[in-house]
Amino acid sequence: MGLMDGKKGFVFGVANDHSLAWHIAERLHNEGAQLAFNHLPNPKMERRVRLLAEPIGSKVIVPCDVSDDEQIKAAFHQARETLGPLDFVVHAVAYANRDALSNPFYQTTRADFLQAMDISAYSLVAICQHGLEFMNEGAAVLTLTYIGSVKMIPGYNVMGVCKAALESSVRYLAAELGREKKIRVNALSAGPVRTLSSAGISGFGKVLEHYPEKAPLARNIAADEIGKSGLYLLSDLSSGVTGEVHYVDAGYNIVGW
Ligand code: NAD
């Protein structure tokens, strides 16, 4: 008997086997969930996602750029056709132009700011907006954030501003979707993990060195710890939890020196 037996969900944001979304997906699959996946609409990303998703039996692997409402709607339609109504959605998507992550923050261009906000923050609103009719009563939505939303982390720049908007969106969405359909919306704030996205953040190596020095657990997190806590926030184990930003960071966020 798995914790997620009979549950079906959509996972947005797998790029490869280092992706935090993949670590969550593996845990969900191991507990019996059936999963749908998106990939960026190009053959290389489709190949990468299929390589991971097909061996775990996924029947829904669809193109979806989250900056396009029509693609989001089409992705949910395809998932419902095959799986039926959904019990959970994982949103593990972020993007900022490399210049915006390497130049000083005050030099962020309007175009880069708006693009980063659209893909990294507004997409959660769009996914909830278009996904609502495809979700069961009591479904769970999970997004991924980082402490750069509430503290200045060198090099995180516009992505910190996006994560602040994302975390605030979690609270507004949780309040409304909870009343509307008992849907829970939470964020998991991950400590630094090497992935495709984090490789684009200048000074990321220094951040990884910093955590073992400062964090209460004196180490970095393992990627599977995101998988385990993701499973908790998407399963019935967290049935009374919504609107939260849950830190999985070896305790780093509590330290003030
Ligand atoms: P990743 O590169 O594996 O995942 C990011 C995903 O976003 C990729 O699958 C990419 O294809 C997708 N994406 C980008 N633009 C998109 C678009 N327009 N439409 C659809 N998908 C798009 O990296 P990751 O580190 O696993 O990132 C997942 C989430 O975790 C992000 O929100 C990231 O900010 C967050 N996070 C990561 C860390 C870390 O240290 N790795 C820490 C805290 C939070």
Side-chain angles (χ1 to χ4, degrees):
M1 287 291 285
L3 209 49
M4 302 300 282
D5 275 348
K7 304 272 187 197
K8 297 146 194 167
F10 208 123
V11 179
F12 290 90
V14 172
N16 57 34
D17 61 350
H18 296 288
S19 294
L20 299 185
W22 178 247
H23 289 279
I24 296 171
E26 277 192 308
R27 281 280 167 180
L28 293 165
H29 165 71
N30 290 341
E31 292 295 330
Q34 279 179 276
L35 303 173
F37 293 90
N38 84 309
H39 58 80
L40 275 174
N42 69 64
K44 184 174 156 197
M45 293 309 282
E46 177 173 5
R47 255 196 322 276
R48 281 190 187 180
V49 176
R50 282 194 181 278
L51 214 60
L52 295 168
E54 282 175 352
I56 63 163
S58 178
K59 305 257 182 304
V60 187
I61 302 163
V62 292
C64 178
D65 181 324
V66 297
S67 62
D68 183 331
D69 289 310
E70 294 312 312
Q71 291 188 35
I72 295 174
K73 287 183 208 168
F76 277 118
H77 269 287
Q78 278 188 255
R80 184 170 61 187
E81 259 176 39
T82 309
L83 299 176
L86 302 175
D87 301 293
F88 60 87
V89 175
V90 177
H91 170 275
V93 173
Y95 178 81
N97 189 333
R98 201 166 271 267
D99 284 350
L101 296 173
S102 49
N103 292 335
F105 173 66
Y106 77 89
Q107 289 179 3
T108 309
T109 65
R110 191 180 300 270
D112 286 351
F113 189 100
L114 293 176
Q115 182 190 37
M117 272 288 184
D118 184 18
I119 297 174
S120 314
Y122 180 74
S123 63
L124 178 69
V125 181
I127 279 174
C128 288
Q129 188 180 116
H130 302 308
L132 186 59
E133 64 173 295
F134 301 94
M135 287 188 235
N136 277 321
E137 177 123 346
V141 177
L142 178 66
T143 188
L144 289 170
T145 186
Y146 180 59
I147 195 172
S149 59
V150 288
K151 302 282 178 194
M152 193 288 294
I153 306 287
Y156 206 57
N157 299 9
V158 70
M159 194 52 73
V161 180
C162 294
K163 294 302 192 192
L166 182 73
E167 291 175 17
S168 185
S169 302
V170 163
R171 291 184 281 273
Y172 283 92
L173 291 166
E176 291 180 357
L177 302 191
R179 294 267 162 185
E180 176 115 3
K181 223 172 163 181
K182 307 277 179 264
I183 290 174
R184 300 185 295 112
V185 185
N186 289 294
L188 192 161
S189 186
V193 176
R194 278 195 194 284
T195 62
L196 211 56
S197 293
S198 62
I201 294 159
S202 56
F204 186 76
K206 281 207 182 115
V207 174
L208 278 172
E209 285 170 20
H210 191 64
Y211 273 62
E213 277 172 34
K214 300 287 184 188
L217 295 182
R219 63 172 174 84
N220 277 297
I221 60 160
D224 182 50
E225 291 176 312
I226 301 303
K228 289 191 288 186
S229 297
L231 172 65
Y232 157 71
L233 286 169
L234 291 166
S235 74
D236 191 53
L237 292 180
S238 61
S239 58
V241 180
T242 194
E244 280 296 321
V245 177
H246 179 67
Y247 282 85
V248 181
D249 67 345
Y252 179 81
N253 72 94
I254 66 157
V255 171
W257 62 284

